[in-house]
Amino acid sequence: MLMLLPPSEGKASEGDGPPLAELSFPALAASRKRVVSALIRASKRRDALDVLGLTPGLVGELARNAALREAPTLPAAELYTGVLYDNLGLATLEPEARKRAEESILIFSGLWGVVKITDRIPPYRLSMGVSLPPVGGLAAFWRPRITKALDPIPGLVVDLRSATYAGAWQPGSRAVAVRVFKDGKVVSHMAKATRGEIVRALLRAGADPATPDELAKHLTDLGYAVELTPPPRPTRQWTLDVTIR
């Protein structure tokens, strides 16, 4: 089983380890270098905030981006600090659950494409929704490259990404997209928390579902109210709706 996560806007402020070295999925290395170079150049432009879709309050992120190659790194598990990751609580997982997290969790990134939680990366600011000169739209840039890297990996895919990051890889009918509802409506902030809780619960339970039905049963056994919907077409994902109170 693979579990796909978005990054978070909230990140640790600085690393404490060596500068960038080889990351998981080395076939993406050349593409990563290209995006890093483009981000460094873009962050030095006069209109950098507009190009990167940042508010004036985030102007300090431009200097951070410009120093990416020399910046200290830290594991992705420690870098991302948003609501989803707070509720996932990687640092407090038992050893066996942590090992499963290292094997199954993939984090999508506008800058790195996709990384594992053990990959050491520096703090940065770049959304997958940005059109980065001269690379262009990042989801479209990464899609063929990530598809080539991830399609050969077998198993069920549990997709907990936001729409912006889901565009970078479409795993097809072996994937289950998880949506979170409250009072009949899709929720955002609470959805992030619930997705983090779901990943944590699956890791701690040692769950390794092979099919969407098995995933739905695991989550039901863990106390979640779920509804599984088949894909509208053979090439599309299944949908698993989780209702919270």
Side-chain angles (χ1 to χ4, degrees):
M1 174 178 63
L2 296 177
M3 292 188 281
L4 314 183
L5 302 183
S8 63
E9 291 188 4
K11 297 180 180 70
S13 60
E14 59 184 355
D16 58 3
L20 275 169
E22 186 172 292
L23 305 177
S24 300
F25 308 106
L28 300 178
S31 298
R32 288 168 175 151
K33 289 180 181 178
R34 183 176 170 188
V35 178
V36 166
S37 294
L39 179 58
I40 291 172
R41 290 195 299 271
S43 297
K44 296 177 180 179
R45 291 172 49 149
R46 291 184 178 180
D47 60 348
L49 291 176
D50 291 335
V51 170
L52 300 178
L54 302 179
T55 62
L58 296 174
V59 67
E61 299 294 324
L62 300 179
R64 190 189 304 277
N65 284 347
L68 275 171
R69 291 194 181 99
E70 300 80 28
T73 60
L74 70 168
E78 300 173 20
L79 174 66
Y80 298 110
T81 61
V83 174
L84 188 156
Y85 291 90
D86 286 345
N87 285 270
L88 168 52
L90 289 166
T92 60
L93 287 174
E94 300 85 355
E96 285 301 313
R98 173 66 181 223
K99 182 179 178 181
R100 287 189 285 271
E102 293 173 359
E103 294 170 349
S104 63
I105 290 177
L106 300 180
I107 303 173
F108 280 66
S109 164
L111 182 55
W112 315 112
V114 61
V115 296
K116 293 187 175 184
I117 65 171
T118 52
D119 283 322
R120 297 191 66 96
I121 51 180
Y124 67 96
R125 178 71 66 155
L126 180 66
S127 169
M128 187 72 82
V130 167
S131 180
L132 182 66
V135 172
L138 290 171
F141 172 81
W142 283 117
R143 190 179 305 120
R145 296 162 171 83
I146 292 176
T147 297
K148 186 176 181 180
L150 298 187
D151 270 2
I153 302 176
L156 182 71
V157 176
V158 183
D159 192 349
L160 301 114
R161 297 171 296 172
S162 56
T164 301
Y165 291 88
W169 183 44
Q170 294 295 323
S173 60
R174 67 180 176 125
V176 182
V178 177
R179 303 188 301 181
V180 180
F181 286 82
K182 182 177 182 180
D183 299 327
K185 298 178 181 179
V186 176
V187 292
S188 178
H189 183 82
M190 294 181 68
K192 295 176 183 178
T194 301
R195 288 180 176 130
E197 292 168 0
I198 285 172
V199 175
R200 183 178 179 86
L202 289 171
L203 292 170
R204 297 189 72 196
D208 189 18
T211 67
D213 286 317
E214 289 182 13
L215 174 64
K217 184 179 185 306
H218 274 297
L219 290 177
T220 299
D221 292 345
L222 289 168
Y224 291 95
V226 305
E227 182 178 353
L228 183 64
T229 303
R233 298 191 297 275
T235 57
R236 300 295 295 276
Q237 296 181 333
W238 292 67
T239 302
L240 185 71
D241 292 339
V242 179
T243 300
I244 59 176
R245 295 181 178 181

